[in-house]
Structures are given as structure tokens and as C-alpha cells.
Amino acid sequence: MENEHASGKDSGGTPLFFLPFMERVARQGRVGTGGDPIASANPPTQPLNGLGKSQVLFGNPFHEGKGKGPFMTVYFIGAGPGAADLITVRGLRLIENCPVCLYAGSLVPAEIVAAAPKGARVIDTAPLHLDEILAEMVAAQERGVDVARVHSGDPSLYGAIAEQMRRLDALGIAHEIVPGVPSFAGAAARLGLELTLPEIAQTVILTRTSGKASPMPKGESLEMLGASGATLVLHLSIRNLAHVEKALTPHYGADCPVAVVYRATWPDEKIILTTLHQMRARVRAEKITRTALIFVGPVLGDTRFRDSRLYDSGFAHVLRNRGKKRPGQAEASARS
């Protein structure tokens, strides 16, 4: 038999680098016998913190964890970009029903935090370090109560949730991610912008520049990413504009359109429409130093794109004009 490590796969054919992930989702009831992530085939019939059976969330919150305390779940909830009514229905229902709410400081609207149930333990985690945040989760496990861990935007993007989940895995505490509207989507909506235009740009790169928290990995420098000419959305980079301009000007040109969106969808939102060459001066004049996204690319200013074929009257697909021959097809069929 071929050695597992030599082949890079386990005996079931699963690549070894997937195993930690597969082990985690299996514990949470989201992996079938074939090893494929699936929706729970047997959702729990008992209510979850007052939610009826029809409202039970994905996964199986009643799985048998390895921790010593009663069963509970930590929900990593995306609060959306800023406006309180942009949180998902699922996320809001969980916050309304979880006896513990840990939220990411000023990045989460007060109206969302206020939805926590009466008597809930509500804590701003901005001044806390990782061990202190985990201590709150462990205390909740010992009480057997669920935790709403509320992050801004979507937790999967720059949410620092992986390190929290890794600790929870080691403690045998169940956790699930509840997606939210990402900040870049909220900002694009406020700009009235489609990020992918036919023959202009069909690729969007979400990235950041090196900062105090962590450097960028090798191969992900702004110079390398900019060479693609794709639409760029830069997070956590508003204090690094000199580098942004220097790195991107050779690829996009000094006059390339740039949009800087500060606190997208919040009441104090600011939008700056500028160019790569002028953005530093404009941002400095507005005194923006944090919580801003930077959009770079021709999609911000180019209105000369052609219509997509998706809604073209001559374009046939499975849901429209089924069986209709496209121009040239009839002649080709006649010749064949």
C-alpha cells in the first residue's frame, strides 16, 4: 500500500492538508460519510435558545464536543459594513437569543448590540486580548450558554477569527460562522458601482498592505498584484498611501480613478473620488486615518463598456429562449 505521507493523501483519498479542516467540520456535524461538506441531514428537533425548529441554523449545534462543560456554541457573526439594518436575519436572531454577546467595539453598531436579550452579558472586546476573550467563551461553556461573537463586515475577511477558532478547537468548544455583508460590498453599493465590467475588468482582488499587525506574505506584494490590472480593493491601508501610489502607478497610471470610502454605510460616511496621484492630498485634507477602503481600477470611471450578453435578446441559455439557435448556428447545423 502506498505510504500516506508519500502520496499526500490519507487512505480515503483526502489530501492531508485538508484533514485539520475536515476534522473540525466533522465534529460540528457538517461532513457526510463520503467526506464532503453537506447540510445536516438530521437537523436537531429541539429548539435552540428559543428558536423554533423551522429556524434551526446550519450544522448541528448539539454535537458532542470534547469540553467538560455543557453543550453550547460560539457563533462568529458578521454584523455587516455599518448600517444596522444590513445584518442578516440569521445573525440578528442569534444575537437576540444568545445570553452572551462579545462585540468588536466601535466597528459594530450600537443598535445591533442592543438586540441582545435582557440580562445578557454584553462585552466590548476592543480593550481585551485573545486570552481574555477566550476566557469569556470558556465561562459561557461552563454555564452551558451560547455566545454571539459579533465582528464587523464578514468574519471571513480580516476578522482574526481563525486564531479564536483554533483555541476553541483545542478546548472542544463548538463554533460556527454566520456570514455578513462584507464592507467592500457595502462600499461598492454606496458608490453605485459594479466591480466587474465586460472587457474592462472581470477580476476583483481584496488585499491590504503591510502594517503593524502583520506583514504581507511573499508573492502578495502590491506591485505583483497590480500587474494584473484587476479591480483592487485595499483594506487596512489608509495610512500607507505613499506606498500604494508608488506601487500601482506603473500599472494603472497616475490618472487611474480611485475611490476612498470611509465608514461605508455609517451615518458619518465619507466618499472621496480622486486619482492615484491626488488621493494622498485629498485624504489628508479630509483627515481620514482609519476605517476606510480604497478602490483602484478603471471600473470606477469607464462607461464605455459593452453590454454583457446575459440579457441580450439573441443570447440563449437554459432559462430563456430554450432551443433557440444563435446566429450562425442554424447555418452550421444545415451544413452538418
Side-chain angles (χ1 to χ4, degrees):
M1 179 181 292
E2 185 179 19
N3 181 276
E4 287 187 2
H5 291 278
S7 67
K9 298 180 179 180
D10 72 352
S11 57
T14 301
L16 292 177
F17 55 78
F18 274 132
L19 292 182
F21 165 77
M22 300 292 281
E23 179 183 328
R24 182 170 76 238
V25 294
R27 286 204 306 272
Q28 296 184 203
R30 298 205 303 276
V31 173
T33 55
D36 297 321
I38 57 172
S40 176
N42 299 297
T45 56
Q46 50 188 309
L48 173 62
N49 283 333
L51 295 180
K53 183 166 64 175
S54 63
Q55 298 168 308
V56 167
L57 310 179
F58 65 91
N60 182 2
F62 301 99
H63 80 287
E64 185 175 355
K66 295 185 296 186
K68 296 179 180 179
F71 301 153
M72 50 77 74
T73 301
V74 175
Y75 293 98
F76 291 93
I77 300 169
D85 59 354
L86 287 179
I87 190 171
T88 65
V89 173
R90 175 182 292 176
L92 183 59
R93 283 179 178 164
L94 279 168
I95 293 170
E96 290 172 341
N97 285 274
C98 285
V100 177
C101 178
L102 310 177
Y103 69 100
S106 61
L107 299 177
V108 175
E111 300 95 319
I112 290 178
V113 178
K118 184 178 180 180
R121 183 169 174 77
V122 179
I123 299 175
D124 177 359
T125 60
L128 304 184
H129 56 66
L130 183 58
D131 288 339
E132 292 171 323
I133 295 170
L134 264 293
E136 292 290 340
M137 296 175 179
V138 170
Q141 185 205 30
E142 292 172 349
R143 292 168 51 204
V145 297
D146 292 331
V147 176
R149 176 65 173 120
V150 188
H151 286 260
S152 61
D154 182 89
S156 67
L157 291 173
Y158 306 111
I161 63 171
E163 60 209 52
Q164 298 174 67
M165 294 190 296
R166 180 167 58 188
R167 298 282 192 97
L168 294 175
D169 286 339
L171 294 168
I173 297 178
H175 53 84
E176 301 215 6
I177 299 173
V178 180
V181 177
S183 297
F184 83 88
R190 297 297 296 142
L191 290 168
L193 185 66
E194 180 178 350
L195 299 177
T196 52
L197 295 178
E199 299 179 356
I200 303 297
Q202 291 290 290
T203 301
V204 179
I205 297 177
L206 309 177
T207 189
R208 56 179 287 255
T209 55
S210 293
K212 289 187 287 186
S214 60
M216 291 296 288
K218 290 183 179 179
E220 294 187 19
S221 69
L222 203 52
E223 291 85 351
M224 296 184 68
L225 298 178
S228 67
T231 303
L232 298 181
V233 184
L234 306 181
H235 298 67
L236 307 169
S237 301
I238 198 65
R239 296 189 180 187
N240 210 4
L241 294 182
H243 170 62
V244 172
E245 179 183 359
K246 181 179 179 181
L248 296 183
T249 297
H251 303 295
Y252 292 84
D255 293 329
C256 178
V258 168
V260 177
V261 184
Y262 168 76
R263 286 172 62 84
T265 78
W266 288 81
D268 57 346
E269 168 192 276
K270 290 183 180 180
I271 295 176
I272 299 174
L273 302 179
T274 182
T275 64
L276 268 176
H277 177 63
Q278 296 174 332
M279 68 177 174
R280 276 195 292 165
R282 293 288 308 280
V283 168
R284 190 182 305 116
E286 292 292 338
K287 297 182 171 59
I288 295 174
T289 59
R290 60 190 294 270
T291 325
L293 294 172
I294 306 161
F295 291 74
V296 180
V299 294
L300 278 86
D302 203 325
T303 59
R304 296 167 296 174
F305 61 92
R306 68 166 180 81
D307 290 347
S308 73
R309 296 191 62 195
L310 181 61
Y311 299 112
D312 189 285
S313 60
F315 182 66
H317 59 70
V318 69
L319 298 178
R320 188 179 68 235
N321 300 329
R322 199 174 304 184
K324 180 178 179 179
K325 298 288 186 180
R326 286 180 292 184
Q329 281 189 332
E331 294 83 349
S333 297
R335 289 194 300 269
S336 60

